[in-house]
């Protein structure tokens, strides 16, 4: 079974209570349950993790490189300014694995500072704007093109 790390960045642990008009009413625990179930259905071992800490996300990306696993990454606000995360993400594709950048909302329809992603230029693909389904679509892409 192909392993996939499904990583979510800062404030995504607050899903359900944080700006529900943008991010919906489902909680982070709901997201983990959905990701785990979708992974099982697709024959992927999907492991969901969330942190508010940039260094932890970088360490998890290094782990993915060293263990040769694909990554679904919602970098949250780090998307827009973290070069450390970009450099770590670049190593995934360099190592022959895939990295899909996901967002619940479509950042391009929102404030100007959200229009720029440090990650997109090194990602295998980007899926944004479908709520929790963005994660499902990323897993489908990984399972289909495996
Ligand atoms: C987000 C979009 C980002 O701009 C924002 O900082 C987030 C969540 C999304 O999933 O829509 O925290 O990545």
């Amino acid at each position: 079974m192909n392993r996939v790390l499904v990583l979510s960045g800062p404030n995504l642990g607050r899903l359900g209570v944080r700006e529900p008009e943008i991010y919906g009413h489902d909680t982070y625990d709901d997201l983990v349950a959905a990701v785990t179930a979708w992974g099982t259905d697709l024959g992927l071992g999907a492991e969901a993790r969330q942190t508010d800490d940039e260094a932890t996300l970088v360490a998890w990306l290094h782990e993915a490189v060293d263990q040769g696993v694909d990554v679904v990454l919602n970098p949250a606000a780090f998307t827009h300014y973290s070069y450390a995360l970009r450099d770590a993400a670049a190593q995934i594709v360099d190592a022959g694995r895939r990295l899909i950048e996901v967002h619940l909302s479509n950042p391009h329809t929102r404030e100007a500072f959200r229009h720029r992603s440090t990650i997109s230029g090194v990602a295998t693909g980007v899926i944004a704007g479908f709520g929790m389904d963005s994660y499902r679509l990323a897993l489908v892409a990984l399972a289909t093109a495996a």
Side-chain angles (χ1 to χ4, degrees):
M1 180 179 278
N2 274 1
R3 258 184 88 210
V4 180
L5 284 185
V6 180
L7 307 179
S8 296
N11 298 301
L12 291 170
R14 304 285 299 159
L15 284 179
V17 289
R18 172 194 181 202
E19 299 180 271
E21 66 286 0
I22 295 174
Y23 297 115
H25 293 276
D26 290 319
T27 65
Y28 179 72
D29 285 348
D30 294 332
L31 176 64
V32 173
V35 160
T36 307
W38 290 328
T40 302
D41 286 351
L42 292 164
L44 300 170
E47 181 184 335
R49 303 179 190 172
Q50 188 275 328
T51 180
D52 294 336
D53 180 46
E54 185 180 23
T56 302
L57 272 178
V58 168
W60 287 344
L61 291 172
H62 292 170
E63 178 186 327
V65 172
D66 292 343
Q67 297 185 0
V69 302
D70 293 328
V71 174
V72 174
L73 174 65
N74 185 342
F78 291 143
T79 307
H80 312 301
Y81 64 91
S82 175
Y83 298 112
L85 213 52
R86 178 197 167 96
D87 286 349
Q91 294 171 51
I92 303 279
V93 176
D94 277 355
R97 304 311 307 182
R98 292 161 303 168
L99 178 134
I100 304 194
E101 176 185 346
V102 299
H103 300 281
L104 297 156
S105 67
N106 178 355
H108 296 282
T109 64
R110 301 179 62 196
E111 302 96 316
F113 78 87
R114 296 185 202 276
H115 297 177
R116 179 169 164 272
S117 169
T118 65
I119 307 298
S120 299
V122 294
T124 308
V126 182
I127 299 171
F130 298 98
M132 275 178 31
D133 230 24
S134 294
Y135 286 76
R136 185 183 66 76
L137 293 167
L139 291 173
V140 168
L142 290 177
T144 306

